[in-house]
Amino acid sequence: KTYDLRFKVLRGPIDPDPNIAIIAIDDKSIAKLGRYPWSRDHYARLIDKLSAVKAKAVMFDVLFPERETIAHDRLFSDAAKRAGNVVLAVAFVFDKEGQVMSITRSLPEIERGAMGVGHINQLPDDDGVIRRIPLLLERDGKQTPSLGLMGAKLVLGEEKITPGDFEIALGERSIPVDGEYRMWLNFVGGPGA
């Protein structure tokens, strides 16, 4: 609760980084493009436009687990491959004891076009509030970085993510984490910020 207090009362909101853009699936975009889910050719065009403006990283917080058409899936995968900086989401599914039961991913042919994947799981504290994010989740001895950590890796031009005791090294940078690789979030403001 003291963490919440520091954000709400002591610090207040801060300006978000102007180099980060969120391209949202919202009422306005649905009104323009039509009913969701959208055809993958929309995503392919988006990736090409982001490449044209030299985006350093393109993170999809969306899953593509089902086939649309072979042609549209290929358009999307080929655009991601051309860009070379597209990371797709994966979602871990947990049982009641917190053990990983399965992972929901995009189609393999779509993932092959991406430069990597990052998990989108958020694990709230006991009171239901999200204050920390797991930067690494493990299944069968393999660690999957979060979507945000993959974005940081791309933007900073780093090659390796190295887990340690209470830290994750991203190149020369050290990210403090707890024993479960969770990092405290530094929210820029309240919901919608």
Side-chain angles (χ1 to χ4, degrees):
K1 294 297 181 186
T2 63
Y3 195 71
D4 299 346
L5 181 68
R6 282 181 267 172
F7 279 113
K8 290 179 184 172
V9 178
L10 300 178
R11 191 202 69 191
I14 57 175
D15 291 331
D17 187 322
N19 295 309
I20 298 173
I22 296 174
I23 301 168
I25 298 169
D26 58 10
D27 291 340
K28 186 177 177 183
S29 58
I30 290 171
K32 182 168 176 110
L33 296 176
R35 187 177 66 168
Y36 186 81
W38 297 321
S39 175
R40 307 239 162 99
D41 64 328
H42 289 309
Y43 295 108
R45 285 196 307 276
L46 174 63
I47 292 168
D48 288 339
K49 286 181 180 188
L50 293 172
S51 289
V53 296
K54 301 196 178 349
K56 290 185 179 180
V58 178
M59 322 307 292
F60 276 93
D61 189 3
V62 179
L63 296 164
F64 303 96
E66 297 173 351
R67 180 167 309 288
E68 181 182 343
T69 67
I70 292 172
H72 284 127
D73 293 344
R74 186 172 296 135
L75 274 174
F76 181 60
S77 181
D78 289 349
K81 189 173 188 104
R82 277 192 307 276
N85 63 352
V86 174
V87 179
L88 297 176
V90 296
F92 284 68
V93 179
F94 298 92
D95 64 18
K96 291 179 182 178
E97 286 76 45
Q99 300 301 309
V100 177
M101 293 175 22
S102 63
I103 302 175
T104 303
R105 353 180 36 102
S106 295
L107 293 168
E109 55 268 37
I110 291 177
E111 276 193 12
R112 277 193 290 276
M115 68 76 51
V117 298
H119 78 78
I120 55 173
N121 291 84
Q122 299 176 355
L123 306 174
D125 288 345
D126 290 339
D127 62 359
V129 177
I130 296 170
R131 295 181 184 91
R132 295 171 287 183
I133 190 86
L135 294 185
L136 294 172
L137 287 176
E138 186 173 327
R139 181 176 189 216
D140 300 330
K142 183 176 187 281
Q143 292 177 323
T144 302
S146 69
L147 195 66
L149 185 58
M150 287 295 290
K153 177 183 170 194
L154 275 172
V155 168
L156 297 171
E158 298 295 350
E159 294 294 319
K160 287 181 67 176
I161 296 169
T162 309
D165 294 329
F166 301 102
E167 72 168 1
I168 293 174
L170 187 58
E172 297 296 316
R173 292 168 180 83
S174 175
I175 304 167
V177 293
D178 65 15
E180 297 174 359
Y181 298 118
R182 293 178 302 178
M183 176 189 82
W184 287 98
L185 291 168
N186 184 17
F187 291 106
V188 296

